[in-house]
Amino acid sequence: MSNPYGHFEDPNREYVITRPDTPLPWLNFLGQDEYFALNTNTGGGYSFYKDARLRRLTRYRYNEMPYDNNGRYLFIKDGDTVWNPGWKPVKTELDSYECRHGLGYSRITSSKNGLEASVLIFVPPEENLEIWQTTLTNNSDAPKTFKLFSFVEFCLYDAQNDSTNFQRTYSIGEVEIEKNAIFHKTEYRERRDHYTMFASTRDIDGYDTSRDDFVGVHNGIHEPKAVLAGQPNNTQAFGWNPIGSHYHEITLQPGESTKHSYILAYVTVSGEKYIAPHVINKEPANAILDKYSDESAVDEAFAKLNGLWDDQLSTFQVETPCPIMNRMGNAWNQAQCMATFNLSRSASLFESGIGRGMGYRDSNQDLLGFVHMVPDKARQRILDISATQMSSGLCFHQYQPLTKKGNDEIGGGFMDDHLWLILSTTAYIRETGDVGILDEKVGYADVEEKTATLLDHLELSIRYTLENRGPHNLPLIGHADWNDCLNLNCFSTEPNESFQTASHNTAEEVAESLMIAGLFLKACLDLQGLYKFIGADAKAEETAAAHAEMLEAVETQGWDGDWYLRAFDTYKEPIGSHKNEEGKIYIESQGWLVMGGAGADNGRAEKTLDAVHEHLYTEDGCVLQQPPYQTYHLHLGEVSSYPPGYKENAGIFCHNNPWIHLALMQLGNGDRAYEYYLSVCPAAKEDKIETYRGEPYMYSQMIAGKDAATPGEAKNAGLTGTAAWTFLTISQGFAGIKPDYEGLQIDPCVPTAWPELKVTRKFRGKTFNITVQNPEGKSKGIKSLTVNGQAVEGDTIPLSSAAEENEVVAVIG
Amino acid sequence: MSNPYGHFEDPNREYVITRPDTPLPWLNFLGQDEYFALNTNTGGGYSFYKDARLRRLTRYRYNEMPYDNNGRYLFIKDGDTVWNPGWKPVKTELDSYECRHGLGYSRITSSKNGLEASVLIFVPPEENLEIWQTTLTNNSDAPKTFKLFSFVEFCLYDAQNDSTNFQRTYSIGEVEIEKNAIFHKTEYRERRDHYTMFASTRDIDGYDTSRDDFVGVHNGIHEPKAVLAGQPNNTQAFGWNPIGSHYHEITLQPGESTKHSYILAYVTVSGEKYIAPHVINKEPANAILDKYSDESAVDEAFAKLNGLWDDQLSTFQVETPCPIMNRMGNAWNQAQCMATFNLSRSASLFESGIGRGMGYRDSNQDLLGFVHMVPDKARQRILDISATQMSSGLCFHQYQPLTKKGNDEIGGGFMDDHLWLILSTTAYIRETGDVGILDEKVGYADVEEKTATLLDHLELSIRYTLENRGPHNLPLIGHADWNDCLNLNCFSTEPNESFQTASHNTAEEVAESLMIAGLFLKACLDLQGLYKFIGADAKAEETAAAHAEMLEAVETQGWDGDWYLRAFDTYKEPIGSHKNEEGKIYIESQGWLVMGGAGADNGRAEKTLDAVHEHLYTEDGCVLQQPPYQTYHLHLGEVSSYPPGYKENAGIFCHNNPWIHLALMQLGNGDRAYEYYLSVCPAAKEDKIETYRGEPYMYSQMIAGKDAATPGEAKNAGLTGTAAWTFLTISQGFAGIKPDYEGLQIDPCVPTAWPELKVTRKFRGKTFNITVQNPEGKSKGIKSLTVNGQAVEGDTIPLSSAAEENEVVAVIG
């Protein structure tokens, strides 16, 4: 059974949705600089500048009925028929409908009664605006005169205040209308230096800015009064709810087509705020309008966007025997890495933009899947993140993207946070060779003078974990580790309390984490490599010793017989042990310990991954633990708060699945890694889309596990660490292309049935066209490597001898 | 022109809405103990237990399109016609519609195609539940078979989390269905000891609990899939969005009627949480169902509610020549006082339940209009509030109703807060004589041991103001005084910053408030009276001296020539002075200084009220100041952030209008006070309801002022201090019935045209039937007072000589 809702169109890097009534709204992320737009296949979503909480430009109501019920809408009134190109909100049955989600754009094309409307929505690179280029074509035999209304509902910038503080917000809304542009200037009179412009490039025949007049007090957005009446009211909003709506009367001859654009822009004023009392300075806004006064400028901007994506993706392109892996690895997975890098966990259809900002842990991981695309942005991000570490070694768990200031709003005291910085920094330096970043003075969040360098941060991070160990010589877990929900010190009994911000009720915080131990091991390996590269041999040895010491603790204290433990609780008892009745085996420690080098020479690595296969693997992915907790366990916290099979309570938490993929491939098990990869891959879910529900082109945070009431159902597509890690599964695992300090390592691990794969990789300004051959049907191990016809020793292409363009052949055997 | 949307029906204390499409949704507040329900004339709204943020039972989406688009809905499918008794959400045109908002209940009765549906919604006294008693009558000539679906959408208790944290909330929803009851038990598995029951007293023919199945992913609540299909899906929700919907198939013969009820209950489990794995203990829920198994029990509960209101209102009933004043004073104003006392500023159509909890300042004032109705609750409230004062004298500005713990979420450092406690406590003791409350040990919020008594709090409050005065010997304003928006120390430039929680950027906090000075004067007068009553003569004298000292500062420093100043800013310059270009005259200081005794013997009281009349009075009420600020003033803060004519920037902020009414009546100007009273009275707005828009039966916080773009438009009806203060205008001002420590003072001030008014007042267990005669057409001054035929000296009826039932005649002259 194929997917009745749509299909991939790989040459265009588009997902083509052919029915608007998808199992859930299917989202696209637009924008990659400072202006972002969420856009669904029916035109739903909202826009913001930098920060979805503090600079939200348009309103969206989460979890509405229908789910996705506000957005960028065009209403067409053609005779008595009112319809939207995106179907919603009016939901008039269309004669044809198609939504093409591409990289950084969506194009919705529909027709009704002989009129075709095609709307291309995109954010031009490096601009703080979005464009809806609208093409209308009369495909009927007779002339057509119809009415066209645009619609956005303005958000008063601070989304939290906008949705709670009506006793203020209903009295502050202000707009100006000038020619074809509507200016939303609420709070510009006081402390804002910015406003929103919503303009049409075609001369308008009317407008509305008062929601009560355009939509009506008692009307839904599916039945806006002005549209039903067929005429705008030319209103100016005073307070209540300002909207923007342009009105056009359009006549088209048979076969005639017309094109114009709407521009929604975040405009900052740096000079005089007003040119006359209550009249705002529109100079920067007018510059935008001038630029886009001709549709060819819109076409150019769109071409520039596509060129940008060509360029960004060209760093890594792969051709394997698996079309699913190719389409994900070459386009959609990388696009999702871009989205997670930019938005962390802040704004999607599941992240409300006022819940979570940029995560410390998240952002370091997201960078791993992004650093090859735009290394300069990754560099700045590393510096931003590290500046939210405190001098103790602990980190602010999140920061607000607009202010870059860390805060405790979603909790603190997570004892894994600091270690991720080592992974992101070493990945960046391996990609770029830029060791200069280590000397950047970023300081600590709690120390005014910025004397500490980035390298100081890395060293402090290692030291913090070494100095904060528990009774088994393993790292203390603090509030939690990567698994936010394993709260071994909280003992929370108060339902008003967030598990994330709950205070600790343990006398002595002795609980320890094997997952942090594994992460520490991996961080030591990475740091050791860096030290060697910069010639700090003593430091490298010190780090190797720290690795050995932790490994010793892991192997003597952390082995349960068939797998590694997950943690020790406050009573010093094991978690994730055959001794437990529930939660006997967890996934995280298995992946991380193997990646960190545990079990390498005692058979435990294979054994623990076999245990994962036996106890955790399902056809929808590996569940987080087994068996699920049936009741709440005070000493475990949030992990036991979820119904069995969901989220951390034995759901398939996709983010940790690639850790197993990478561990399997480290051991050379390409066949199993491939099976596992497909199990969580959305593009492989098209034949059970009614169960899966989520977007086929974006990884989900979670798929309901086998113990759930709804197994196989995906949730929270888009903003998940799954993107970065699964991109590593593809690029560094299967394809085996690993940037290293002095060259490009070629270390593929493929399914035995794959005869060949090809990769193009740009690295430090050079291009490598790599063919991996697998004549013997093995999975791993490079038998020979030739570069431009020359044999190379080992599996790494030294940069020193590489040309601008390199033909590489690597043979597995 | 009368009001086309409805009318008062005074004998029933009902407001009868005859068209559903009111200018805005018109709200009724249900519940007065621990369970509360907001209910509009179309059935919109939501329910909660104690705390609209932390224990919200059903979902509501503020500011939706349409505005009021979730609630307690019944869907009737009769043939192909689907309709709701409340019109919304389907909005099928009805053959008849009526909504009767009564005190503590609403009854919506509609008919379509010969079928009549009448739904009575109320919260029985002292129970944690609401009942929708539903009567269906076939008024047609033929038998009718139709389908009936109920609907609520459950909120997952913490309303803030429920509307922001979907990555968690979409995975935790859980329900159980047993017989005719749907149990919403999300998070009961972990830290909750409560669940929500939604049950029908009539055996059901089906149900739904999954929103996606009942409503549909792409459907609005105006087109629920199951209703359109004419059959439920009998679904159990797992995660996503749990709802409750019962399904009935009903056949009625011509003329036949049937009655059943829906019960929505907050159920607390004190014993075992589960009776079997995953099966909740339903014992307390079943006790409710047993109780209401017969409709006569519902009828009894409703009769009990009406009896309760009869009783509560009987303490004060007035009969003046003004029907508008009578209907407000005898029913609606008192009901609004009840709502504000219970909900402070937390939950209405303008207060989202997650913005503001119980205010310190607010609650003390709300109590003034409520203390006569249920003095015991007022007593507890005084103790709760005072416990959020800190040992410095400053107070937490709000506290959460569920926890009663103070917090800084909406700011702190308001230097008027503490003084209001004196007004509320003395009002309570004058009403009840209960001086014992003064010895209650309530402690301070920041001191663990509870040794401070309530009297200590009052004394600390006076001391705090005395010890925190500025360069003009006037009280420092701190973050702000009653006018939250006059922020003289903030100098806020950061748009992400709430003015309420903004930090202070002044080097030296010297700004002073004349409003606080007036409030202090009044508090001294009240406290002095109390000291005298308890025989603390030395303290009384001390307080009199403090009053005199402050009065001296006011008269020497605070007079501007024609009115009193409002404040001194951080530069020690006057605010509210003829020297200012904008904001020359403010309302608050005029009212409070006169009430505190300023200007009494130097003509300034009259003069300043004349200035109010000249500069601030309009036919829609007195604006807060004049002229409005056209631009933002850094040193003034939020007051200058609003567009001219709105809110504190020269809007008609109704709350402060009665201060002028009371000041005018203190000076004997009954005619002007009456004109002013009507200017802000919603019941006097029926002839311009399209402009006013708000409920005719509830005061609004704000009416747009003369400088606004929409003058006369009301906002934020319901939860405003206007209710308590205007009740004092009526009861203690016009009617002049003032409870005093040792008797009941009769000190009316009436329009000269009123020949007579009658009051029934219950006071300390005795009843006073009072006739005020005005044979000479004067306004104020009691010429003679007779009680049960006996002449009484002065204007106060001594309690000592009063009978159980007293006939009182007071003659003005």
Side-chain angles (χ1 to χ4, degrees), chain B residues 71-207:
Chain B
R72 24 191 91 73
Y73 292 138
L74 296 180
F75 294 89
I76 295 168
K77 186 168 199 288
D78 178 10
D80 288 335
T81 304
V82 174
W83 60 283
N84 306 103
W87 185 51
K88 279 184 190 166
V90 176
K91 295 199 300 172
T92 297
E93 196 176 341
L94 301 172
D95 296 336
S96 71
Y97 160 90
E98 180 187 87
C99 170
R100 290 176 176 264
H101 280 330
L103 304 196
Y105 68 89
S106 295
R107 191 193 297 271
I108 297 176
T109 306
S110 298
S111 64
K112 182 74 185 176
N113 298 342
L115 179 63
E116 184 186 274
S118 185
V119 187
L120 169 68
I121 304 160
F122 70 102
V123 177
E126 294 171 14
E127 297 197 61
N128 292 328
L129 57 89
E130 67 188 71
I131 297 177
W132 317 350
Q133 192 182 48
T134 304
T135 308
L136 298 152
T137 307
N138 180 1
N139 288 328
S140 77
D141 300 335
K144 247 188 195 301
T145 297
F146 57 91
K147 297 164 177 196
L148 177 67
F149 299 79
S150 68
F151 177 84
V152 296
E153 187 181 5
F154 295 114
C155 183
L156 310 189
Y157 300 110
D158 180 335
Q160 169 72 16
N161 199 57
D162 186 66
S163 61
T164 53
N165 193 14
F166 308 107
Q167 64 92 25
R168 172 172 161 85
T169 56
Y170 279 174
S171 285
I172 60 176
E174 290 188 291
V175 295
E176 266 181 66
I177 302 101
E178 192 175 287
K179 261 193 91 187
N180 302 317
I182 292 163
F183 297 89
H184 173 232
K185 60 173 186 177
T186 298
E187 287 189 347
Y188 183 78
R189 69 164 43 252
E190 30 137 328
R191 298 167 296 173
R192 298 198 177 277
D193 63 356
H194 46 267
Y195 52 75
T196 306
M197 175 181 72
F198 184 42
S200 170
T201 62
R202 179 184 178 116
D203 283 347
I204 63 174
D205 301 307
Y207 60 86

Side-chain angles (χ1 to χ4, degrees), chain A residues 559 564 594 598-610 667:
Chain A
W559 182 249
Y564 287 105
V594 172
D601 46 17
N602 55 15
R604 288 177 176 177
E606 281 83 1
K607 201 164 180 184
T608 204
L609 293 180
D610 282 346
L667 304 190

Side-chain angles (χ1 to χ4, degrees), chain A residues 315-538:
Chain A
T315 299
F316 176 85
Q317 289 288 296
V318 66
E319 197 184 312
T320 75
C322 174
I324 286 174
M325 191 180 294
N326 296 347
R327 64 175 52 129
M328 291 304 291
N330 293 333
W332 295 98
N333 195 339
Q334 294 198 60
Q336 191 173 353
C337 287
M338 172 70 80
T340 58
F341 177 83
N342 283 319
L343 303 178
S344 192
R345 308 296 171 267
S346 67
S348 70
L349 295 183
F350 292 75
E351 301 286 5
S352 62
I354 52 179
R356 305 196 283 174
M358 308 294 285
Y360 190 100
R361 173 200 295 146
D362 299 324
S363 290
N364 279 300
Q365 291 177 83
D366 295 340
L367 188 144
L368 302 177
F370 173 82
V371 61
H372 65 290
M373 275 192 277
V374 194
D376 284 351
K377 287 190 182 179
R379 186 182 208 274
Q380 186 57 49
R381 178 64 52 80
I382 287 170
L383 299 177
D384 289 346
I385 302 170
S386 60
T388 67
Q389 184 175 36
M390 284 167 285
S391 56
S392 68
L394 280 175
C395 307
F396 277 115
H397 197 51
Q398 83 160 2
Y399 67 96
Q400 213 55 37
L402 186 73
T403 61
K404 296 188 178 175
K405 287 255 193 309
N407 66 60
D408 279 330
E409 278 185 31
I410 57 163
F414 297 87
M415 292 219 184
D416 62 317
D417 273 339
H418 50 283
L419 293 170
W420 300 102
L421 183 64
I422 296 171
L423 273 61
S424 62
T425 303
T426 52
Y428 167 76
I429 297 175
R430 282 197 304 261
E431 182 70 38
T432 60
D434 171 21
V435 293
I437 193 174
L438 295 170
D439 298 324
E440 291 280 350
K441 293 217 170 11
V442 282
Y444 296 109
D446 56 340
V447 176
E448 206 156 326
E449 218 181 332
K450 304 259 173 272
T451 53
T453 64
L454 179 60
L455 186 60
D456 291 336
H457 281 267
L458 305 188
E459 293 180 351
L460 173 63
S461 296
I462 290 289
R463 204 160 62 238
Y464 183 85
T465 297
L466 277 178
E467 289 174 0
N468 286 276
R469 285 185 289 168
H472 303 87
N473 257 334
L474 292 164
L476 292 174
I477 195 168
H479 191 78
D481 58 27
W482 172 87
N483 187 339
D484 279 333
C485 297
L486 191 61
N487 312 120
L488 301 182
N489 292 303
C490 286
F491 290 72
S492 174
T493 56
E494 172 54 55
N496 303 324
E497 182 168 77
S498 150
F499 281 104
Q500 303 308 300
T501 56
S503 58
H504 292 182
N505 289 318
T506 32
E508 219 190 345
E509 300 208 355
V510 297
E512 298 162 284
S513 162
L514 268 296
M515 182 269 157
I516 299 181
L519 174 59
F520 178 87
L521 292 177
K522 181 73 170 77
C524 282
L525 296 178
D526 284 357
L527 192 58
Q528 200 182 331
L530 177 62
Y531 278 137
K532 281 187 190 157
F533 178 54
I534 62 174
D537 291 344

Side-chain angles (χ1 to χ4, degrees), chain A residues 704-736:
Chain A
K706 60 185 176 178
D707 306 292
T710 57
E713 182 187 58
K715 281 174 182 160
N716 201 352
L719 300 183
T720 161
T722 314
W725 282 106
T726 313
F727 182 69
L728 295 194
T729 291
I730 297 172
S731 62
Q732 302 199 12
F734 295 111

Side-chain angles (χ1 to χ4, degrees), chain A residues 20-25 42 54-55 59 61-70 87-88 91 151 153 158 160 162-168 170-174 187 189-194 211-212 215-223 238-241 278 349-356 402-403 492-499 502 629-632 638 640-644 646-647 649 693 701-702 709-710 713-716, chain B residues 20-25 42 54-55 59 61-70 87-88 91 151 153 158 160 162-168 170-174 187 189-194 211-212 215-223 238-241 278 349-352 354-356 402-403 492-499 502 629-632 638 640-644 646-647 649 653 693 701-702 709-710 713-716:
Chain A
D21 58 336
T22 44
L24 286 172
T42 57
L54 299 175
R55 289 290 187 278
R59 279 197 185 138
R61 289 177 195 79
Y62 276 88
N63 196 10
E64 184 44 271
M65 295 176 281
Y67 274 87
D68 182 37
N69 196 30
N70 211 0
W87 184 51
K88 279 184 190 167
K91 295 200 300 174
F151 177 84
E153 186 181 5
D158 179 337
Q160 169 73 15
D162 186 66
S163 61
T164 53
N165 193 15
F166 308 108
Q167 64 93 27
R168 172 171 161 85
Y170 279 175
S171 285
I172 59 175
E174 291 188 289
E187 286 190 347
R189 69 165 44 252
E190 30 138 328
R191 297 167 297 171
R192 298 198 178 277
D193 63 355
H194 45 268
R211 197 183 85 186
D212 287 2
V215 180
V217 169
H218 298 287
N219 288 44
I221 187 58
H222 62 284
E223 49 180 358
F238 298 101
W240 299 103
N241 303 288
H278 304 285
L349 295 183
F350 292 75
E351 301 286 5
S352 62
I354 52 179
R356 305 196 283 174
L402 186 73
T403 61
S492 174
T493 56
E494 172 54 55
N496 303 324
E497 182 168 77
S498 150
F499 281 104
Y629 299 107
Q630 296 296 326
T631 59
Y632 178 55
E638 188 166 7
S640 61
S641 79
Y642 288 103
Y646 293 97
K647 293 277 288 177
N649 192 13
R693 302 182 80 186
Q701 182 208 52
M702 199 268 295
T710 57
E713 182 187 58
K715 281 174 182 160
N716 201 352
Chain B
D21 58 338
T22 44
L24 286 172
T42 56
L54 298 174
R55 290 289 187 279
R59 278 198 185 137
R61 287 176 196 81
Y62 277 88
N63 195 10
E64 184 43 271
M65 296 175 279
Y67 274 87
D68 183 37
N69 195 30
N70 210 0
W87 185 51
K88 279 184 190 166
K91 295 199 300 172
F151 177 84
E153 187 181 5
D158 180 335
Q160 169 72 16
D162 186 66
S163 61
T164 53
N165 193 14
F166 308 107
Q167 64 92 25
R168 172 172 161 85
Y170 279 174
S171 285
I172 60 176
E174 290 188 291
E187 287 189 347
R189 69 164 43 252
E190 30 137 328
R191 298 167 296 173
R192 298 198 177 277
D193 63 356
H194 46 267
R211 197 184 85 186
D212 287 2
V215 180
V217 168
H218 298 287
N219 289 43
I221 186 58
H222 63 284
E223 48 179 359
F238 298 102
W240 299 103
N241 302 289
H278 303 285
L349 295 183
F350 291 76
E351 300 286 5
S352 62
I354 52 179
R356 304 196 285 175
L402 186 74
T403 61
S492 174
T493 56
E494 173 53 57
N496 303 324
E497 181 169 77
S498 151
F499 282 103
Y629 299 106
Q630 296 296 329
T631 59
Y632 177 55
E638 188 166 6
S640 60
S641 80
Y642 288 103
Y646 293 97
K647 293 277 288 177
N649 192 13
F653 212 91
R693 302 183 80 186
Q701 181 207 53
M702 199 267 293
T710 59
E713 182 187 58
K715 281 174 183 161
N716 202 352

Side-chain angles (χ1 to χ4, degrees), chain B residues 298-313:
Chain B
V298 175
D299 296 338
E300 273 169 44
F302 184 56
K304 188 176 166 193
L305 173 68
N306 286 319
L308 177 66
W309 272 107
D310 284 343
D311 190 45
Q312 286 169 163
L313 295 175

Side-chain angles (χ1 to χ4, degrees), chain B residues 545-620:
Chain B
H547 182 274
E549 188 188 335
M550 187 66 78
L551 188 58
E552 167 77 11
V554 165
E555 298 289 6
T556 56
Q557 306 285 342
W559 182 249
D560 189 56
D562 289 303
W563 55 79
Y564 287 104
L565 300 173
R566 176 62 179 85
F568 286 98
D569 67 20
T570 196
Y571 310 111
K572 303 173 195 170
E573 295 295 326
I575 308 282
S577 161
H578 70 284
K579 295 179 198 156
N580 302 121
E581 282 190 27
E582 300 170 328
K584 285 173 183 293
I585 173 171
Y586 274 71
I587 196 169
E588 306 98 323
S589 43
Q590 320 313 330
W592 276 105
L593 286 167
V594 172
M595 287 194 285
D601 47 16
N602 55 15
R604 290 177 175 176
E606 280 84 1
K607 201 164 180 184
T608 205
L609 293 180
D610 282 346
V612 167
H613 192 69
E614 185 183 341
H615 299 288
L616 304 181
Y617 179 68
T618 75
E619 63 177 19
D620 288 312

